[in-house]
Amino acid sequence: MKKRVLSLLLAGVMLVGVLAGCGGDKGSADGAKTYNVGVSIYQFDDNFMTLYRNEIEAYFKTLETDDVKYKVTIVDGKNDMATQTNQIDTFITQKMDVIICNLVQTSSAETIIDKVVAANIPLVLINREPLGETDESYAGILENEKVCYVGADARQSGTYQGEIVRDLPNKGDMNGDGVVKYVMIEGDPENPDAQYRTEFSIKALTDAGIKVECLVDQVGNWATDKGQQIAASALTQYGTDIDVIFCNNDGMAIGAAAAIEAAGRKVGQDILLLGVDALDDCVDMIKAGTMTGTVLNDHIGQSHTAVDVAIKALKGESIDNYYWVDYVKVDASYVNK
Ligand code: GAL
């Protein structure tokens, strides 16, 4: 009899726990509340997103208290949308308290948003903007009280790359033939960061009245080895005609730097090299003069904003649909300050 009363009591306590537990597991031994956070990154094998995801994890840790813990599960989308869709489905089944997603394909944003919204789980999209704020044809894609995007405006990073070249005494015309002839090494073409950086770096030059000519424009998918291959073959084909190599990110610029060195060319003397992200290696290269400039893609600011917003959302506090973090221009004068 006693046993039965006890188990009824226990069942009652558990039911109250379930009913009260709109988000977060109660009842860990020390009484702390644990929130479950699901994070899907488009691809672990990406320099910048590795820094970003490590910082997400580290920052969540710093926000833990005796009463509140975060169980963060980070999965690798392996650059495959089907894999990522499965991961999001699993997060939904696991009843995550919040999902942070770095989309593999921005064109799948709506499908992912619809699923997560239907499950009533807050969704923080990061790094790959589901166009909406910066492209009116997608306006409204994030208009839901539990969905937001945290990122940086890629147009700004492109503009900064172009301005670094524009502000040099020779305005980027290294061989003095009157035209800035360039090689463009692009990231994943489906990614707005790649599209905008490609467009706005050159726009900053043409807006300043500088004549430009594109010699090569190829996709390097953010990868160092691809950056090296594209730069090497461009250097073989066009030699000293090339004034500038623009790379949509630093990973590819590191590859291009190796090709420039192998071709016996000298950054700052007969060629210029630009990237985006401000990886430590590239900041060192700018100090050493083997790279012209980059743009800080603030993974600390972005990851902290994403986590802060995720925590607000899981607590049921209201959030905005967009959070923007600024880029910072990084050239020789900046690094030698
Ligand atoms: C960009 C970054 C690239 C790459 C890409 C992934 O913002 O500059 O290096 O990480 O995101 O979407």
Side-chain angles (χ1 to χ4, degrees):
M1 186 66 178
K2 246 189 183 167
K3 219 174 169 188
R4 200 176 132 74
V5 170
L6 196 68
S7 56
L8 271 175
L9 255 176
L10 256 178
V13 167
M14 277 165 71
L15 183 67
V16 169
V18 169
L19 290 177
C22 53
D25 299 337
K26 275 218 160 169
S28 40
D30 53 5
K33 181 161 181 159
T34 300
Y35 289 105
N36 294 302
V37 181
V39 183
S40 174
I41 299 295
Y42 94 97
Q43 175 165 243
F44 277 7
D45 185 14
D46 175 301
N47 293 333
F48 173 73
M49 285 313 301
T50 299
L51 298 172
Y52 196 133
R53 88 181 131 91
N54 290 341
E55 191 59 33
I56 288 181
E57 210 169 8
Y59 186 56
F60 263 117
K61 271 264 158 288
T62 67
L63 298 177
E64 287 191 333
T65 63
D66 288 347
D67 300 330
V68 177
K69 307 282 174 208
Y70 299 102
K71 184 163 179 277
V72 183
T73 307
I74 307 192
V75 293
D76 181 0
K78 302 208 165 101
N79 207 15
D80 179 59
M81 195 60 230
T83 302
Q84 186 168 58
T85 305
N86 284 333
Q87 294 169 342
I88 299 296
D89 287 339
T90 307
F91 284 162
I92 290 173
T93 314
Q94 293 169 335
K95 297 196 176 3
M96 289 294 177
D97 294 303
V98 66
I99 295 175
I100 299 178
C101 180
N102 168 211
L103 287 166
V104 170
Q105 276 173 13
T106 45
S107 54
S108 298
E110 222 160 346
T111 318
I112 298 294
I113 291 171
D114 287 351
K115 274 175 190 293
V116 179
V117 165
N120 202 28
I121 297 174
L123 174 65
V124 179
L125 295 165
I126 56 167
N127 173 258
R128 296 185 155 188
E129 185 195 351
L131 295 173
E133 180 96 318
T134 53
D135 182 339
E136 281 172 9
S137 52
Y138 290 83
I141 190 165
L142 293 188
E143 269 172 23
N144 181 287
E145 57 186 9
K146 289 195 167 188
V147 181
C148 71
Y149 173 69
V150 176
D153 180 355
R155 294 173 299 184
Q156 188 186 36
S157 54
T159 302
Y160 283 171
Q161 282 188 309
E163 286 179 0
I164 293 172
V165 173
R166 179 200 68 186
D167 293 342
L168 294 169
N170 65 4
K171 298 184 188 315
D173 184 10
M174 299 306 281
N175 55 23
D177 66 358
V179 182
V180 173
K181 296 190 177 141
Y182 67 91
V183 172
M184 183 65 69
I185 307 184
E186 295 198 31
D188 167 11
E190 208 257 0
N191 188 322
D193 285 6
Q195 295 160 13
Y196 282 144
R197 288 174 192 166
T198 299
E199 181 186 344
F200 282 79
S201 53
I202 302 308
K203 187 173 180 299
L205 298 179
T206 53
D207 281 354
I210 296 168
K211 281 209 188 88
V212 298
E213 185 183 329
C214 178
L215 298 176
V216 173
D217 184 341
Q218 276 183 28
V219 170
N221 272 326
W222 310 118
T224 300
D225 56 343
K226 287 268 170 51
Q228 178 160 6
Q229 285 158 22
I230 295 168
S233 66
L235 286 159
T236 307
Q237 193 177 351
Y238 293 101
T240 51
D241 275 355
I242 302 173
D243 295 297
V244 189
I245 300 187
F246 284 104
C247 300
N248 283 171
N249 79 340
D250 280 353
M252 299 186 293
I254 290 170
I260 287 172
E261 202 191 327
R265 302 285 296 275
K266 290 256 175 305
V267 170
Q269 291 175 26
D270 56 27
I271 196 164
L272 303 173
L273 175 63
L274 282 299
V276 174
D277 283 341
L279 300 180
D280 286 348
D281 283 354
C282 291
V283 172
D284 288 345
M285 284 161 65
I286 297 170
K287 281 188 190 147
T290 52
M291 187 164 170
T292 312
T294 183
V295 180
L296 172 70
N297 195 0
D298 180 6
H299 70 274
I300 306 270
Q302 291 176 66
S303 56
H304 290 198
T305 306
V307 169
D308 288 340
V309 170
I311 290 175
K312 271 181 122 188
L314 66 73
K315 284 186 187 155
E317 289 172 23
S318 73
I319 56 169
D320 296 338
N321 289 130
Y322 287 94
Y323 293 88
W324 296 109
V325 175
D326 270 335
Y327 284 105
V328 180
K329 205 185 281 186
V330 179
D331 58 7
S333 64
Y334 181 90
V335 298
N336 293 318
K337 251 194 273 184

